[in-house]
Each structure stands twice: as structure tokens, then as C-alpha cells.
């Protein structure tokens, strides 16, 4: 889905990219890594995963997966942005590829395996099998990712600031993502250069 959106005529003519992760509870770790690879130059650290041995496995952008390294990016997030969505946001934000906008994210920095209980009436037990750290070695578990642009920035007067705040805090379904992004967030988004 992301690749198709990035190669669409609309995306190619856009001056900036807004990625809306509000209310995104994540998904698979590999999905977050693969999505980040679309925006980062080869060799860029995405995440380090630590299992019980304590030895990190570092995942990096590879194989020329990046589709666009030139457009500024703003990533919208809120308190419901979690797990693989946080991996993606941290990879772009901490590598200077995107500006994070909105609320502090949920803070799920662990990898769990769910074992279903046969006699449990549909229940199960979750086992933590690993922890992860962001590219700048931050442990976000129970802390979350901070946003460079929190919900109220006052840009465009009180009415605009109120719209942005409500949009970011509530995840305002149906509100276009671009309406939530202060112009300054896209203007300050840095553009990655190849390594």
C-alpha cells in the first residue's frame, strides 16, 4: 500500500509527505521495518532488538528500498500510536528524515509472543521475548516517542491552533491529515542524504 501511494502521480507532484499514524496500534515488527526502509538510505539504522542474551540484532535500511529521499516528511502520531508504528516513526524521526507531530506515542518497546490457552475460553498468555531500542538507543517502553511539534503551537491564530490540537489529540477521523500539520513541521523536516 505504501509503495503504491508513493509512486502515484499525486505523491510524485507533492511538495511534502504527511504520514498519519494516529490510532495505529502497530502490527508486525517486520512491517514497521519494511515501511521505514522505503524512506531511508541504505545502511541507516532502523531498530536494535535485544533478546534474552542481551546481544543486539540491528535492522538497517538495505537493498535500495528507498523510494523517495528528497521530500520533507511529517509523521502524525498520538497516544494510540504503538508498537511497529512507533518503530517506523522513531526510525524516520531519529534519523532526521521526518518531523514527528502530535502527542507522545503509546510506548510499546517490547516484542511479545501470544500463546493461546485451549481451555481458556479464547484467552491466552503473552510472553515478552525481546526488547527494542530506537536508532538513538532510546528505550521507549512505557515512555513513548516525544513529538517535535506538540498539539498546540498557535500557528495561524487561535482557530487554527484549536483545529490542530483537536485533530491530533482525538485522532479526528475524517479530518484530513494535512489539516493537523503545522506548516513549520514540514518546513523543518530534514531531507536525508545517501551514505
Amino acid at each position: 500500500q505504501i509503495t503504491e501511494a508513493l509512486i502515484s502521480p499525486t505523491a510524485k507532484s507533492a511538495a511534502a509527505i504527511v504520514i498519519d499514524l494516529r490510532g495505529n496500534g502497530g502490527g508486525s515488527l517486520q512491517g514497521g521495518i519494511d515501511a521505514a526502509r522505503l524512506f531511508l538510505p541504505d545502511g541507516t539504522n532502523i531498530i536494535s532488538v535485544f533478546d534474552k542474551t542481551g546481544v543486539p540484532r540491528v535492522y538497517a535500511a538495505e537493498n535500495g528500498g528507498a523510494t523517495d529521499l528528497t521530500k520533507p516528511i511529517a509523521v502524525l502520531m498520538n497516544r494510540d500510536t504503538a508498537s511497529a508504528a512507533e518503530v517506523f516513526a522513531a526510525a524516520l524521526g531519529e534519523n532526521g528524515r521526518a518531523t514527528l507531530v502530535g502527542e507522545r506515542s503509546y510506548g510499546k518497546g517490547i516484542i511479545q509472543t501470544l500463546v493461546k490457552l485451549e481451555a481458556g475460553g479464547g484467552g491466552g498468555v503473552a510472553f515478552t521475548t525481546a526488547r527494542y531500542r530506537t536508532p538513538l538507543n532510546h528505550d521507549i517502553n512505557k515512555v513513548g516517542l516525544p513529538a517535535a511539534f506538540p498539539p498546540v503551537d498557535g500557528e495561524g491564530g487561535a482557530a487554527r491552533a484549536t483545529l490542530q490540537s483537536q485533530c491530533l489529540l482525538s485522532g479526528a477521523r475524517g479530518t484530513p491529515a494535512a489539516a493537523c500539520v503545522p506548516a513549520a513541521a514540514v518546513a523543518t523536516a530534514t531531507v536525508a542524504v545517501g551514505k
Side-chain angles (χ1 to χ4, degrees), residues 30 32-48 57-69 87-88 91-92 95 97 135 192-195:
Q30 191 61 51
I33 292 167
D34 290 344
R37 286 179 171 151
L38 296 174
F39 298 95
L40 297 168
D42 285 357
T44 304
N45 183 2
I46 295 173
I47 189 172
S48 298
R57 177 167 182 203
V58 178
Y59 292 85
E62 59 186 29
N63 302 323
T67 58
D68 190 334
L69 296 175
V87 168
F88 174 83
L92 271 61
N95 282 303
R97 186 61 186 97
V193 294
K195 293 189 175 202

PDB file of all heavy atoms in Angstrom, residues 30 32-48 57-69 87-88 91-92 95 97 135 192-195:
ATOM      1  N   GLN A  30       8.309  -6.614  11.597  1.00  0.00           N
ATOM      2  CA  GLN A  30       8.879  -6.621  10.250  1.00  0.00           C
ATOM      3  C   GLN A  30       8.176  -5.614   9.343  1.00  0.00           C
ATOM      4  O   GLN A  30       8.805  -4.972   8.517  1.00  0.00           O
ATOM      5  CB  GLN A  30       8.802  -8.024   9.644  1.00  0.00           C
ATOM      6  CG  GLN A  30       9.608  -8.173   8.364  1.00  0.00           C
ATOM      7  CD  GLN A  30      11.090  -7.920   8.574  1.00  0.00           C
ATOM      8  OE1 GLN A  30      11.708  -8.498   9.460  1.00  0.00           O
ATOM      9  NE2 GLN A  30      11.675  -7.045   7.770  1.00  0.00           N
ATOM     10  N   GLY A  32       6.876  -2.714  10.262  1.00  0.00           N
ATOM     11  CA  GLY A  32       7.404  -1.396  10.598  1.00  0.00           C
ATOM     12  C   GLY A  32       8.790  -1.176  10.014  1.00  0.00           C
ATOM     13  O   GLY A  32       9.110  -0.095   9.519  1.00  0.00           O
ATOM     14  N   ILE A  33       9.618  -2.211  10.054  1.00  0.00           N
ATOM     15  CA  ILE A  33      10.971  -2.130   9.494  1.00  0.00           C
ATOM     16  C   ILE A  33      10.905  -1.950   7.983  1.00  0.00           C
ATOM     17  O   ILE A  33      11.583  -1.082   7.413  1.00  0.00           O
ATOM     18  CB  ILE A  33      11.773  -3.395   9.867  1.00  0.00           C
ATOM     19  CG1 ILE A  33      12.044  -3.425  11.374  1.00  0.00           C
ATOM     20  CG2 ILE A  33      13.077  -3.478   9.072  1.00  0.00           C
ATOM     21  CD1 ILE A  33      12.561  -4.761  11.894  1.00  0.00           C
ATOM     22  N   ASP A  34      10.095  -2.773   7.315  1.00  0.00           N
ATOM     23  CA  ASP A  34       9.980  -2.684   5.856  1.00  0.00           C
ATOM     24  C   ASP A  34       9.458  -1.327   5.405  1.00  0.00           C
ATOM     25  O   ASP A  34       9.928  -0.772   4.406  1.00  0.00           O
ATOM     26  CB  ASP A  34       9.073  -3.799   5.323  1.00  0.00           C
ATOM     27  CG  ASP A  34       9.710  -5.181   5.446  1.00  0.00           C
ATOM     28  OD1 ASP A  34      10.939  -5.273   5.659  1.00  0.00           O
ATOM     29  OD2 ASP A  34       8.956  -6.176   5.347  1.00  0.00           O
ATOM     30  N   ALA A  35       8.488  -0.776   6.133  1.00  0.00           N
ATOM     31  CA  ALA A  35       7.953   0.544   5.781  1.00  0.00           C
ATOM     32  C   ALA A  35       9.029   1.613   5.939  1.00  0.00           C
ATOM     33  O   ALA A  35       9.172   2.505   5.089  1.00  0.00           O
ATOM     34  CB  ALA A  35       6.737   0.866   6.637  1.00  0.00           C
ATOM     35  N   ALA A  36       9.811   1.550   7.011  1.00  0.00           N
ATOM     36  CA  ALA A  36      10.880   2.536   7.224  1.00  0.00           C
ATOM     37  C   ALA A  36      11.923   2.465   6.116  1.00  0.00           C
ATOM     38  O   ALA A  36      12.476   3.492   5.700  1.00  0.00           O
ATOM     39  CB  ALA A  36      11.527   2.312   8.590  1.00  0.00           C
ATOM     40  N   ARG A  37      12.189   1.276   5.624  1.00  0.00           N
ATOM     41  CA  ARG A  37      13.185   1.113   4.551  1.00  0.00           C
ATOM     42  C   ARG A  37      12.811   1.872   3.283  1.00  0.00           C
ATOM     43  O   ARG A  37      13.676   2.197   2.478  1.00  0.00           O
ATOM     44  CB  ARG A  37      13.368  -0.375   4.231  1.00  0.00           C
ATOM     45  CG  ARG A  37      14.156  -1.102   5.289  1.00  0.00           C
ATOM     46  CD  ARG A  37      14.324  -2.579   4.983  1.00  0.00           C
ATOM     47  NE  ARG A  37      15.262  -3.165   5.936  1.00  0.00           N
ATOM     48  CZ  ARG A  37      15.234  -4.420   6.333  1.00  0.00           C
ATOM     49  NH1 ARG A  37      14.314  -5.251   5.850  1.00  0.00           N
ATOM     50  NH2 ARG A  37      16.112  -4.855   7.202  1.00  0.00           N
ATOM     51  N   LEU A  38      11.530   2.157   3.107  1.00  0.00           N
ATOM     52  CA  LEU A  38      11.088   2.899   1.922  1.00  0.00           C
ATOM     53  C   LEU A  38      11.514   4.363   1.956  1.00  0.00           C
ATOM     54  O   LEU A  38      11.463   5.047   0.930  1.00  0.00           O
ATOM     55  CB  LEU A  38       9.565   2.812   1.783  1.00  0.00           C
ATOM     56  CG  LEU A  38       8.989   1.426   1.532  1.00  0.00           C
ATOM     57  CD1 LEU A  38       7.469   1.475   1.577  1.00  0.00           C
ATOM     58  CD2 LEU A  38       9.478   0.884   0.193  1.00  0.00           C
ATOM     59  N   PHE A  39      11.915   4.857   3.127  1.00  0.00           N
ATOM     60  CA  PHE A  39      12.211   6.284   3.269  1.00  0.00           C
ATOM     61  C   PHE A  39      13.646   6.578   3.706  1.00  0.00           C
ATOM     62  O   PHE A  39      13.981   7.735   3.924  1.00  0.00           O
ATOM     63  CB  PHE A  39      11.254   6.899   4.297  1.00  0.00           C
ATOM     64  CG  PHE A  39       9.810   6.820   3.888  1.00  0.00           C
ATOM     65  CD1 PHE A  39       9.011   5.779   4.318  1.00  0.00           C
ATOM     66  CD2 PHE A  39       9.258   7.775   3.049  1.00  0.00           C
ATOM     67  CE1 PHE A  39       7.679   5.694   3.942  1.00  0.00           C
ATOM     68  CE2 PHE A  39       7.928   7.696   2.662  1.00  0.00           C
ATOM     69  CZ  PHE A  39       7.136   6.658   3.114  1.00  0.00           C
ATOM     70  N   LEU A  40      14.451   5.542   3.893  1.00  0.00           N
ATOM     71  CA  LEU A  40      15.790   5.739   4.436  1.00  0.00           C
ATOM     72  C   LEU A  40      16.859   5.187   3.493  1.00  0.00           C
ATOM     73  O   LEU A  40      16.662   4.151   2.863  1.00  0.00           O
ATOM     74  CB  LEU A  40      15.915   5.048   5.799  1.00  0.00           C
ATOM     75  CG  LEU A  40      14.992   5.578   6.895  1.00  0.00           C
ATOM     76  CD1 LEU A  40      14.991   4.630   8.091  1.00  0.00           C
ATOM     77  CD2 LEU A  40      15.429   6.970   7.318  1.00  0.00           C
ATOM     78  N   PRO A  41      18.005   5.860   3.435  1.00  0.00           N
ATOM     79  CA  PRO A  41      19.092   5.354   2.585  1.00  0.00           C
ATOM     80  C   PRO A  41      19.704   4.088   3.174  1.00  0.00           C
ATOM     81  O   PRO A  41      19.661   3.854   4.386  1.00  0.00           O
ATOM     82  CB  PRO A  41      20.105   6.497   2.561  1.00  0.00           C
ATOM     83  CG  PRO A  41      19.760   7.386   3.692  1.00  0.00           C
ATOM     84  CD  PRO A  41      18.326   7.149   4.046  1.00  0.00           C
ATOM     85  N   ASP A  42      20.268   3.263   2.305  1.00  0.00           N
ATOM     86  CA  ASP A  42      20.903   2.013   2.730  1.00  0.00           C
ATOM     87  C   ASP A  42      21.880   2.253   3.863  1.00  0.00           C
ATOM     88  O   ASP A  42      22.609   3.249   3.878  1.00  0.00           O
ATOM     89  CB  ASP A  42      21.643   1.361   1.559  1.00  0.00           C
ATOM     90  CG  ASP A  42      20.693   0.700   0.574  1.00  0.00           C
ATOM     91  OD1 ASP A  42      19.481   0.687   0.822  1.00  0.00           O
ATOM     92  OD2 ASP A  42      21.186   0.185  -0.445  1.00  0.00           O
ATOM     93  N   GLY A  43      21.880   1.329   4.813  1.00  0.00           N
ATOM     94  CA  GLY A  43      22.810   1.386   5.933  1.00  0.00           C
ATOM     95  C   GLY A  43      22.303   2.167   7.131  1.00  0.00           C
ATOM     96  O   GLY A  43      22.915   2.148   8.192  1.00  0.00           O
ATOM     97  N   THR A  44      21.175   2.845   6.989  1.00  0.00           N
ATOM     98  CA  THR A  44      20.627   3.636   8.088  1.00  0.00           C
ATOM     99  C   THR A  44      19.992   2.714   9.128  1.00  0.00           C
ATOM    100  O   THR A  44      19.174   1.863   8.797  1.00  0.00           O
ATOM    101  CB  THR A  44      19.563   4.630   7.569  1.00  0.00           C
ATOM    102  OG1 THR A  44      20.144   5.438   6.560  1.00  0.00           O
ATOM    103  CG2 THR A  44      19.049   5.513   8.686  1.00  0.00           C
ATOM    104  N   ASN A  45      20.369   2.886  10.397  1.00  0.00           N
ATOM    105  CA  ASN A  45      19.837   2.062  11.491  1.00  0.00           C
ATOM    106  C   ASN A  45      18.348   2.341  11.683  1.00  0.00           C
ATOM    107  O   ASN A  45      17.937   3.493  11.796  1.00  0.00           O
ATOM    108  CB  ASN A  45      20.610   2.362  12.778  1.00  0.00           C
ATOM    109  CG  ASN A  45      20.185   1.498  13.952  1.00  0.00           C
ATOM    110  OD1 ASN A  45      19.325   0.628  13.829  1.00  0.00           O
ATOM    111  ND2 ASN A  45      20.784   1.739  15.094  1.00  0.00           N
ATOM    112  N   ILE A  46      17.560   1.271  11.737  1.00  0.00           N
ATOM    113  CA  ILE A  46      16.121   1.387  11.965  1.00  0.00           C
ATOM    114  C   ILE A  46      15.779   1.024  13.405  1.00  0.00           C
ATOM    115  O   ILE A  46      15.055   1.747  14.079  1.00  0.00           O
ATOM    116  CB  ILE A  46      15.337   0.497  10.973  1.00  0.00           C
ATOM    117  CG1 ILE A  46      15.549   1.026   9.550  1.00  0.00           C
ATOM    118  CG2 ILE A  46      13.854   0.436  11.326  1.00  0.00           C
ATOM    119  CD1 ILE A  46      14.983   0.150   8.458  1.00  0.00           C
ATOM    120  N   ILE A  47      16.313  -0.093  13.896  1.00  0.00           N
ATOM    121  CA  ILE A  47      15.984  -0.572  15.237  1.00  0.00           C
ATOM    122  C   ILE A  47      17.012  -1.608  15.674  1.00  0.00           C
ATOM    123  O   ILE A  47      17.593  -2.302  14.840  1.00  0.00           O
ATOM    124  CB  ILE A  47      14.561  -1.184  15.270  1.00  0.00           C
ATOM    125  CG1 ILE A  47      14.114  -1.474  16.690  1.00  0.00           C
ATOM    126  CG2 ILE A  47      14.462  -2.406  14.408  1.00  0.00           C
ATOM    127  CD1 ILE A  47      12.664  -1.904  16.799  1.00  0.00           C
ATOM    128  N   SER A  48      17.206  -1.701  16.978  1.00  0.00           N
ATOM    129  CA  SER A  48      18.036  -2.764  17.551  1.00  0.00           C
ATOM    130  C   SER A  48      17.147  -3.592  18.467  1.00  0.00           C
ATOM    131  O   SER A  48      16.478  -3.049  19.343  1.00  0.00           O
ATOM    132  CB  SER A  48      19.197  -2.173  18.355  1.00  0.00           C
ATOM    133  OG  SER A  48      20.035  -1.411  17.522  1.00  0.00           O
ATOM    134  N   ARG A  57      20.390  -7.339  17.750  1.00  0.00           N
ATOM    135  CA  ARG A  57      20.293  -7.582  16.319  1.00  0.00           C
ATOM    136  C   ARG A  57      19.843  -6.262  15.711  1.00  0.00           C
ATOM    137  O   ARG A  57      18.764  -5.759  16.026  1.00  0.00           O
ATOM    138  CB  ARG A  57      19.282  -8.678  16.013  1.00  0.00           C
ATOM    139  CG  ARG A  57      19.147  -8.874  14.517  1.00  0.00           C
ATOM    140  CD  ARG A  57      18.418 -10.129  14.142  1.00  0.00           C
ATOM    141  NE  ARG A  57      18.414 -10.200  12.687  1.00  0.00           N
ATOM    142  CZ  ARG A  57      17.549 -10.884  11.986  1.00  0.00           C
ATOM    143  NH1 ARG A  57      16.640 -11.604  12.596  1.00  0.00           N
ATOM    144  NH2 ARG A  57      17.596 -10.883  10.679  1.00  0.00           N
ATOM    145  N   VAL A  58      20.700  -5.693  14.882  1.00  0.00           N
ATOM    146  CA  VAL A  58      20.429  -4.380  14.311  1.00  0.00           C
ATOM    147  C   VAL A  58      19.792  -4.548  12.933  1.00  0.00           C
ATOM    148  O   VAL A  58      20.299  -5.273  12.087  1.00  0.00           O
ATOM    149  CB  VAL A  58      21.731  -3.550  14.206  1.00  0.00           C
ATOM    150  CG1 VAL A  58      21.456  -2.202  13.555  1.00  0.00           C
ATOM    151  CG2 VAL A  58      22.358  -3.376  15.584  1.00  0.00           C
ATOM    152  N   TYR A  59      18.672  -3.864  12.745  1.00  0.00           N
ATOM    153  CA  TYR A  59      17.995  -3.847  11.453  1.00  0.00           C
ATOM    154  C   TYR A  59      18.268  -2.495  10.806  1.00  0.00           C
ATOM    155  O   TYR A  59      18.116  -1.455  11.441  1.00  0.00           O
ATOM    156  CB  TYR A  59      16.490  -4.029  11.624  1.00  0.00           C
ATOM    157  CG  TYR A  59      16.105  -5.402  12.120  1.00  0.00           C
ATOM    158  CD1 TYR A  59      16.111  -5.693  13.479  1.00  0.00           C
ATOM    159  CD2 TYR A  59      15.745  -6.404  11.231  1.00  0.00           C
ATOM    160  CE1 TYR A  59      15.762  -6.955  13.937  1.00  0.00           C
ATOM    161  CE2 TYR A  59      15.389  -7.668  11.685  1.00  0.00           C
ATOM    162  CZ  TYR A  59      15.409  -7.936  13.036  1.00  0.00           C
ATOM    163  OH  TYR A  59      15.062  -9.179  13.497  1.00  0.00           O
ATOM    164  N   ALA A  60      18.668  -2.521   9.555  1.00  0.00           N
ATOM    165  CA  ALA A  60      19.004  -1.288   8.843  1.00  0.00           C
ATOM    166  C   ALA A  60      18.310  -1.269   7.486  1.00  0.00           C
ATOM    167  O   ALA A  60      17.853  -2.299   6.986  1.00  0.00           O
ATOM    168  CB  ALA A  60      20.520  -1.188   8.659  1.00  0.00           C
ATOM    169  N   ALA A  61      18.249  -0.086   6.893  1.00  0.00           N
ATOM    170  CA  ALA A  61      17.727   0.036   5.533  1.00  0.00           C
ATOM    171  C   ALA A  61      18.704  -0.669   4.603  1.00  0.00           C
ATOM    172  O   ALA A  61      19.917  -0.614   4.809  1.00  0.00           O
ATOM    173  CB  ALA A  61      17.578   1.507   5.157  1.00  0.00           C
ATOM    174  N   GLU A  62      18.156  -1.350   3.604  1.00  0.00           N
ATOM    175  CA  GLU A  62      19.013  -2.130   2.710  1.00  0.00           C
ATOM    176  C   GLU A  62      18.374  -2.331   1.351  1.00  0.00           C
ATOM    177  O   GLU A  62      17.192  -2.077   1.165  1.00  0.00           O
ATOM    178  CB  GLU A  62      19.319  -3.492   3.333  1.00  0.00           C
ATOM    179  CG  GLU A  62      18.080  -4.294   3.613  1.00  0.00           C
ATOM    180  CD  GLU A  62      18.338  -5.596   4.352  1.00  0.00           C
ATOM    181  OE1 GLU A  62      19.315  -5.685   5.118  1.00  0.00           O
ATOM    182  OE2 GLU A  62      17.559  -6.528   4.166  1.00  0.00           O
ATOM    183  N   ASN A  63      19.177  -2.794   0.451  1.00  0.00           N
ATOM    184  CA  ASN A  63      18.738  -3.198  -0.891  1.00  0.00           C
ATOM    185  C   ASN A  63      18.102  -2.080  -1.710  1.00  0.00           C
ATOM    186  O   ASN A  63      17.246  -2.343  -2.543  1.00  0.00           O
ATOM    187  CB  ASN A  63      17.762  -4.377  -0.815  1.00  0.00           C
ATOM    188  CG  ASN A  63      18.352  -5.573  -0.129  1.00  0.00           C
ATOM    189  OD1 ASN A  63      19.543  -5.851  -0.299  1.00  0.00           O
ATOM    190  ND2 ASN A  63      17.564  -6.265   0.666  1.00  0.00           N
ATOM    191  N   GLY A  64      18.512  -0.854  -1.460  1.00  0.00           N
ATOM    192  CA  GLY A  64      17.972   0.240  -2.262  1.00  0.00           C
ATOM    193  C   GLY A  64      16.469   0.349  -2.177  1.00  0.00           C
ATOM    194  O   GLY A  64      15.821   0.706  -3.148  1.00  0.00           O
ATOM    195  N   GLY A  65      15.896   0.056  -1.009  1.00  0.00           N
ATOM    196  CA  GLY A  65      14.449   0.044  -0.855  1.00  0.00           C
ATOM    197  C   GLY A  65      13.803   1.416  -0.850  1.00  0.00           C
ATOM    198  O   GLY A  65      12.611   1.541  -1.036  1.00  0.00           O
ATOM    199  N   ALA A  66      14.590   2.469  -0.628  1.00  0.00           N
ATOM    200  CA  ALA A  66      14.010   3.808  -0.525  1.00  0.00           C
ATOM    201  C   ALA A  66      13.401   4.238  -1.853  1.00  0.00           C
ATOM    202  O   ALA A  66      14.022   4.103  -2.903  1.00  0.00           O
ATOM    203  CB  ALA A  66      15.063   4.800  -0.075  1.00  0.00           C
ATOM    204  N   THR A  67      12.184   4.768  -1.783  1.00  0.00           N
ATOM    205  CA  THR A  67      11.510   5.223  -2.990  1.00  0.00           C
ATOM    206  C   THR A  67      11.649   6.728  -3.187  1.00  0.00           C
ATOM    207  O   THR A  67      11.569   7.207  -4.295  1.00  0.00           O
ATOM    208  CB  THR A  67      10.012   4.873  -2.953  1.00  0.00           C
ATOM    209  OG1 THR A  67       9.445   5.468  -1.792  1.00  0.00           O
ATOM    210  CG2 THR A  67       9.796   3.381  -2.927  1.00  0.00           C
ATOM    211  N   ASP A  68      11.828   7.481  -2.105  1.00  0.00           N
ATOM    212  CA  ASP A  68      11.956   8.932  -2.222  1.00  0.00           C
ATOM    213  C   ASP A  68      12.737   9.460  -1.030  1.00  0.00           C
ATOM    214  O   ASP A  68      12.298   9.342   0.103  1.00  0.00           O
ATOM    215  CB  ASP A  68      10.570   9.581  -2.271  1.00  0.00           C
ATOM    216  CG  ASP A  68      10.640  11.054  -2.632  1.00  0.00           C
ATOM    217  OD1 ASP A  68      11.684  11.694  -2.381  1.00  0.00           O
ATOM    218  OD2 ASP A  68       9.660  11.569  -3.178  1.00  0.00           O
ATOM    219  N   LEU A  69      13.893  10.038  -1.311  1.00  0.00           N
ATOM    220  CA  LEU A  69      14.723  10.592  -0.241  1.00  0.00           C
ATOM    221  C   LEU A  69      14.783  12.112  -0.293  1.00  0.00           C
ATOM    222  O   LEU A  69      15.630  12.717   0.349  1.00  0.00           O
ATOM    223  CB  LEU A  69      16.148  10.019  -0.344  1.00  0.00           C
ATOM    224  CG  LEU A  69      16.274   8.518  -0.135  1.00  0.00           C
ATOM    225  CD1 LEU A  69      17.699   8.067  -0.381  1.00  0.00           C
ATOM    226  CD2 LEU A  69      15.842   8.139   1.264  1.00  0.00           C
ATOM    227  N   VAL A  87       8.083   2.028  15.829  1.00  0.00           N
ATOM    228  CA  VAL A  87       9.365   1.662  15.206  1.00  0.00           C
ATOM    229  C   VAL A  87       9.565   2.505  13.955  1.00  0.00           C
ATOM    230  O   VAL A  87      10.626   3.100  13.739  1.00  0.00           O
ATOM    231  CB  VAL A  87       9.404   0.148  14.861  1.00  0.00           C
ATOM    232  CG1 VAL A  87      10.584  -0.185  13.965  1.00  0.00           C
ATOM    233  CG2 VAL A  87       9.435  -0.684  16.130  1.00  0.00           C
ATOM    234  N   PHE A  88       8.530   2.570  13.125  1.00  0.00           N
ATOM    235  CA  PHE A  88       8.576   3.362  11.894  1.00  0.00           C
ATOM    236  C   PHE A  88       8.818   4.841  12.203  1.00  0.00           C
ATOM    237  O   PHE A  88       9.707   5.474  11.625  1.00  0.00           O
ATOM    238  CB  PHE A  88       7.263   3.176  11.129  1.00  0.00           C
ATOM    239  CG  PHE A  88       7.136   4.036   9.918  1.00  0.00           C
ATOM    240  CD1 PHE A  88       7.698   3.653   8.717  1.00  0.00           C
ATOM    241  CD2 PHE A  88       6.443   5.235   9.972  1.00  0.00           C
ATOM    242  CE1 PHE A  88       7.591   4.455   7.586  1.00  0.00           C
ATOM    243  CE2 PHE A  88       6.323   6.044   8.859  1.00  0.00           C
ATOM    244  CZ  PHE A  88       6.899   5.650   7.651  1.00  0.00           C
ATOM    245  N   ALA A  91      12.340   5.492  13.562  1.00  0.00           N
ATOM    246  CA  ALA A  91      13.363   5.351  12.518  1.00  0.00           C
ATOM    247  C   ALA A  91      13.445   6.612  11.662  1.00  0.00           C
ATOM    248  O   ALA A  91      14.535   7.121  11.396  1.00  0.00           O
ATOM    249  CB  ALA A  91      13.069   4.128  11.649  1.00  0.00           C
ATOM    250  N   LEU A  92      12.290   7.147  11.262  1.00  0.00           N
ATOM    251  CA  LEU A  92      12.309   8.350  10.433  1.00  0.00           C
ATOM    252  C   LEU A  92      12.654   9.587  11.246  1.00  0.00           C
ATOM    253  O   LEU A  92      13.442  10.431  10.811  1.00  0.00           O
ATOM    254  CB  LEU A  92      10.964   8.537   9.730  1.00  0.00           C
ATOM    255  CG  LEU A  92      10.842   7.840   8.373  1.00  0.00           C
ATOM    256  CD1 LEU A  92      10.996   6.351   8.458  1.00  0.00           C
ATOM    257  CD2 LEU A  92       9.550   8.222   7.696  1.00  0.00           C
ATOM    258  N   ASN A  95      16.414   9.596  12.630  1.00  0.00           N
ATOM    259  CA  ASN A  95      17.400   9.676  11.555  1.00  0.00           C
ATOM    260  C   ASN A  95      17.275  10.982  10.771  1.00  0.00           C
ATOM    261  O   ASN A  95      17.879  11.137   9.713  1.00  0.00           O
ATOM    262  CB  ASN A  95      17.269   8.466  10.613  1.00  0.00           C
ATOM    263  CG  ASN A  95      17.901   7.230  11.209  1.00  0.00           C
ATOM    264  OD1 ASN A  95      19.083   7.224  11.540  1.00  0.00           O
ATOM    265  ND2 ASN A  95      17.109   6.177  11.364  1.00  0.00           N
ATOM    266  N   ARG A  97      14.841  12.148   9.110  1.00  0.00           N
ATOM    267  CA  ARG A  97      14.120  12.043   7.844  1.00  0.00           C
ATOM    268  C   ARG A  97      12.707  12.607   7.935  1.00  0.00           C
ATOM    269  O   ARG A  97      12.090  12.924   6.933  1.00  0.00           O
ATOM    270  CB  ARG A  97      14.087  10.570   7.416  1.00  0.00           C
ATOM    271  CG  ARG A  97      13.487  10.317   6.059  1.00  0.00           C
ATOM    272  CD  ARG A  97      14.278  11.016   4.965  1.00  0.00           C
ATOM    273  NE  ARG A  97      13.603  10.876   3.689  1.00  0.00           N
ATOM    274  CZ  ARG A  97      12.809  11.802   3.170  1.00  0.00           C
ATOM    275  NH1 ARG A  97      12.573  12.932   3.803  1.00  0.00           N
ATOM    276  NH2 ARG A  97      12.244  11.605   1.999  1.00  0.00           N
ATOM    277  N   PRO A 135      16.898   4.061  16.899  1.00  0.00           N
ATOM    278  CA  PRO A 135      18.211   4.311  16.305  1.00  0.00           C
ATOM    279  C   PRO A 135      19.172   5.092  17.212  1.00  0.00           C
ATOM    280  O   PRO A 135      20.393   4.893  17.144  1.00  0.00           O
ATOM    281  CB  PRO A 135      17.885   5.115  15.043  1.00  0.00           C
ATOM    282  CG  PRO A 135      16.516   4.669  14.673  1.00  0.00           C
ATOM    283  CD  PRO A 135      15.813   4.446  15.991  1.00  0.00           C
ATOM    284  N   ALA A 192      17.043  13.422   4.040  1.00  0.00           N
ATOM    285  CA  ALA A 192      18.194  12.518   4.181  1.00  0.00           C
ATOM    286  C   ALA A 192      19.064  12.563   2.933  1.00  0.00           C
ATOM    287  O   ALA A 192      18.592  12.805   1.836  1.00  0.00           O
ATOM    288  CB  ALA A 192      17.689  11.099   4.406  1.00  0.00           C
ATOM    289  N   VAL A 193      20.315  12.330   3.141  1.00  0.00           N
ATOM    290  CA  VAL A 193      21.245  12.219   2.017  1.00  0.00           C
ATOM    291  C   VAL A 193      21.835  10.819   2.045  1.00  0.00           C
ATOM    292  O   VAL A 193      21.959  10.205   3.092  1.00  0.00           O
ATOM    293  CB  VAL A 193      22.378  13.265   2.091  1.00  0.00           C
ATOM    294  CG1 VAL A 193      21.819  14.664   1.928  1.00  0.00           C
ATOM    295  CG2 VAL A 193      23.135  13.173   3.412  1.00  0.00           C
ATOM    296  N   GLY A 194      22.163  10.307   0.880  1.00  0.00           N
ATOM    297  CA  GLY A 194      22.727   8.962   0.813  1.00  0.00           C
ATOM    298  C   GLY A 194      24.026   8.863   1.554  1.00  0.00           C
ATOM    299  O   GLY A 194      24.770   9.826   1.693  1.00  0.00           O
ATOM    300  N   LYS A 195      24.308   7.668   2.065  1.00  0.00           N
ATOM    301  CA  LYS A 195      25.551   7.456   2.810  1.00  0.00           C
ATOM    302  C   LYS A 195      26.641   6.996   1.899  1.00  0.00           C
ATOM    303  O   LYS A 195      26.430   6.377   0.913  1.00  0.00           O
ATOM    304  CB  LYS A 195      25.311   6.431   3.911  1.00  0.00           C
ATOM    305  CG  LYS A 195      24.371   6.987   4.936  1.00  0.00           C
ATOM    306  CD  LYS A 195      24.311   6.080   6.124  1.00  0.00           C
ATOM    307  CE  LYS A 195      23.442   6.747   7.161  1.00  0.00           C
ATOM    308  NZ  LYS A 195      23.626   6.321   8.462  1.00  0.00           N
TER     309      LYS A 195
END
